[in-house]
Amino acid sequence: TVRDMRITVPFISNRATHTNIFVKPEFSATINGDPYSIKGQTKPFADSLETYLDIEAQDIDIPEYLHYIPAELNFRLPSGKVDLKARVTFTQSKDKMTDLSVAGNVSVRQLAVNDVSNKPVIRLKSLNVGIASLEPYRNSLKLSEVLVQSPEVNAIRGEDGSFNILGLLPKTVEKPQERSKAEEAKQKEGSQKVFFSMDRLKIEDGRITFKDLEPSEPVDVSIQKMNMTMEKISTEKDNKGAIDLSLIIGKKSPFTAKGTIGINPLSGELSIDAKTIPIAPFQSYFNDKIKIYVTGGGVSSAGKVALALDESGSPVVKFSGNLLVSNFSSVDQETAGDFLKWKALSLGSINAGYNPIALSVNDVSISDFYTRIIIYKDRTANLQKIFSGEPAAKEQPAAEVKKEQIKARE
């Protein structure tokens, strides 16, 4: 429904003496209960067609307009509001490129995105995007500031390996088209690179929950109190931006990363610090290889990570720093007896790399080490069964072990 519509054109003339005088049209209305306003200045009879449009809209209800999309959606949108305030500028010239630019602010509030089964996937308190300049004819987008408050993501990998987040995207079937080399060369020559820059990105109080249903037993990992700031990010060649990230893994394991990153080419130099990340939540990823229950232990690490691309475009990753595995304890899945324990396993002065794969450790120390080795009557050892890859016997499930595991995951 459209109510209170108002259209005003105070003056318009095509006389030669009036062609450089701005015509100032105005439009305002309440559409579906939301106020809209457009105010403009234009020279419709001048060669430049110089035009300015100020657009303002408040409390646009996003779900209300999804019905007009002529395609089947793979998600549900229970709620979401948009506020828009922008200026559109248009000018043309005989000897210069036509200019079309947009600047302003877009705000999204109380956004909720569910999957087709109506299970929550994304929640967002607010998203504020400051657009310094959007120039379609120049393939340029410059953002002043992006602020994301209290985002929540519920990520799930199903038993078939599919991700619920990717399932939100529309399914497209592309039919292969045969094109001549001349057409491909012409398209490549005519294409322009997109320039993107962002002065500042800030994420406050983010939360991510991840459930992996593909292993034999589900894996549950949560990230909370995620705060991140990125500054001076750009696709300009060799540009380096800054990143500062902090979060909590599980209930009490802090992780921080701080340094520089680049997009063109992809690169990064980060100082990382992780403290007592629990091992038990990731138990299911090695259950089929090592038949133990991890009942305690955490991984801590501090060092520097460097990322770059080689000449072929493959990633090159290097790490230098220290690693500590503390208060580790485990039990044999079959006997429920203690198998391996230690107070602290420390690896110092690590230099590791990928592409090429390399590893060197200068200092290794371990304290309060304990392991239980059993030789059976058939001259086999418990180590053979633990590392055999065969399922452990579970005739008498150890309830106490399960309790210790649950405690270790927290």
Side-chain angles (χ1 to χ4, degrees), residues 327-367:
N327 299 314
F328 181 83
S329 60
S330 63
V331 299
D332 189 323
Q333 286 186 5
E334 185 172 345
T335 65
D338 289 339
F339 171 65
L340 187 63
K341 292 182 178 181
W342 63 71
K343 179 73 173 178
L345 171 62
S346 176
L347 307 178
S349 301
I350 301 173
N351 285 288
Y354 169 77
N355 191 19
I357 295 175
L359 175 64
S360 67
V361 182
N362 290 342
D363 304 310
V364 179
S365 65
I366 191 168
S367 63

Side-chain angles (χ1 to χ4, degrees), residues 305-316:
V305 177
L307 170 66
L309 299 179
D310 62 15
E311 294 180 355
S312 65
S314 300
V316 178

Side-chain angles (χ1 to χ4, degrees), residues 61-75:
D61 189 25
I62 304 175
E64 183 74 26
Y65 295 93
L66 290 183
H67 306 292
Y68 298 101
I69 298 178
E72 184 178 356
L73 301 179
N74 295 328
F75 60 88

Side-chain angles (χ1 to χ4, degrees), residues 81-243:
K81 296 280 189 179
V82 174
D83 296 332
L84 171 66
K85 188 174 183 179
R87 164 165 278 204
V88 181
T89 303
F90 175 85
T91 56
Q92 69 176 13
S93 176
K94 294 181 180 179
D95 54 351
K96 293 182 180 180
M97 179 185 292
T98 299
D99 281 332
L100 174 64
S101 65
V102 181
N105 291 278
V106 179
S107 299
V108 180
R109 297 176 284 109
Q110 306 302 327
L111 180 67
V113 181
N114 296 348
D115 61 18
V116 289
S117 301
N118 217 26
K119 295 179 180 178
V121 179
I122 298 173
R123 295 292 184 269
L124 191 63
K125 182 179 179 181
S126 68
L127 167 65
N128 297 300
V129 181
I131 303 173
S133 175
L134 168 60
E135 300 178 271
Y137 291 135
R138 300 178 185 273
N139 290 337
S140 173
L141 173 60
K142 300 176 182 178
L143 302 180
S144 55
E145 184 174 28
V146 178
L147 175 60
V148 186
Q149 291 184 314
S150 302
E152 295 184 13
V153 178
N154 297 314
I156 300 175
R157 183 167 74 160
E159 296 179 358
D160 59 353
S162 62
F163 285 89
N164 63 335
I165 294 178
L166 297 179
L168 303 178
L169 303 176
K171 297 180 181 180
T172 58
V173 179
E174 295 184 359
K175 296 181 178 179
Q177 296 180 352
E178 295 184 0
R179 294 183 300 175
S180 64
K181 293 183 179 180
E183 290 177 333
E184 292 180 356
K186 185 177 180 180
Q187 182 180 3
K188 187 175 181 180
E189 182 181 352
S191 62
Q192 297 181 4
K193 293 182 178 180
V194 175
F195 176 81
F196 171 80
S197 69
M198 178 171 56
D199 293 339
R200 192 166 186 258
L201 166 66
K202 190 172 184 180
I203 299 176
E204 297 179 344
D205 195 24
R207 179 179 177 83
I208 300 173
T209 59
F210 174 66
K211 180 184 286 290
D212 193 348
L213 302 177
E214 191 173 42
S216 56
E217 295 184 14
V219 174
D220 289 286
V221 180
S222 67
I223 293 174
Q224 57 183 322
K225 297 182 179 179
M226 183 178 70
N227 296 284
M228 183 176 71
T229 301
M230 298 175 69
E231 295 181 335
K232 305 301 179 183
I233 304 300
S234 171
T235 56
E236 183 179 357
K237 186 172 177 58
D238 297 325
N239 176 77
K240 299 288 186 180
I243 181 172

